[in-house]
Amino acid sequence: MKTSTLSCAVGAALLGLALVGPAKADPKDYEFQLVRKEMKVGEAVVAARLVDKRSGQPVPDAVIFAKRIDMAPDGMPTMDSPIEQAPSTEPGVYQFKTRLTMAGGWQLSLGAKVQGEEGTVENKLVLKATK
């Protein structure tokens, strides 16, 4: 009789786990990383890799819904530049066309949704434009 009770308890526990489903990751489990931290002034393609910090693997197919580039690191947050997403051939790497109008520190701000996850991944990355 004890074996039957134990079997029922184990079965109920497994059923409970199945109903809960897989654990969701937290947005803090992901981060954008600049591919290059220094670029020349002028027309530029800035690339950022989205990485799952738990595994170190790139995260493809995220939906980028917010992007901005400005000179906040140099105390000029209103000095911004138009930015548009460009196609990328490398999974997990997201590219953006912009114009770095002057030398100094530039901040790339990104907001994204990772497929199958809740919450928003947000990062502010600093790059340097040189002459």
Side-chain angles (χ1 to χ4, degrees), residues 56-75:
Q57 295 298 310
V59 179
D61 304 321
V63 177
I64 309 295
F65 65 87
K67 55 197 174 296
R68 176 179 168 82
I69 193 160
D70 59 47
M71 293 194 75
D74 282 0

Side-chain angles (χ1 to χ4, degrees), residues 77-99:
T78 58
M79 174 69 101
D80 62 350
S81 193
I83 185 169
E84 66 181 63
Q85 192 166 349
S88 176
T89 57
E90 189 178 340
V93 174
Y94 302 86
Q95 296 191 117
F96 306 92
K97 291 181 184 178
T98 190
R99 180 165 177 74

Side-chain angles (χ1 to χ4, degrees), residues 96-116:
F96 306 92
K97 291 181 184 178
T98 190
R99 180 165 177 74
L100 304 174
T101 54
M102 62 188 289
W106 287 82
Q107 178 173 274
L108 174 64
S109 302
L110 296 173
K113 293 280 187 187
V114 173
Q115 300 294 328

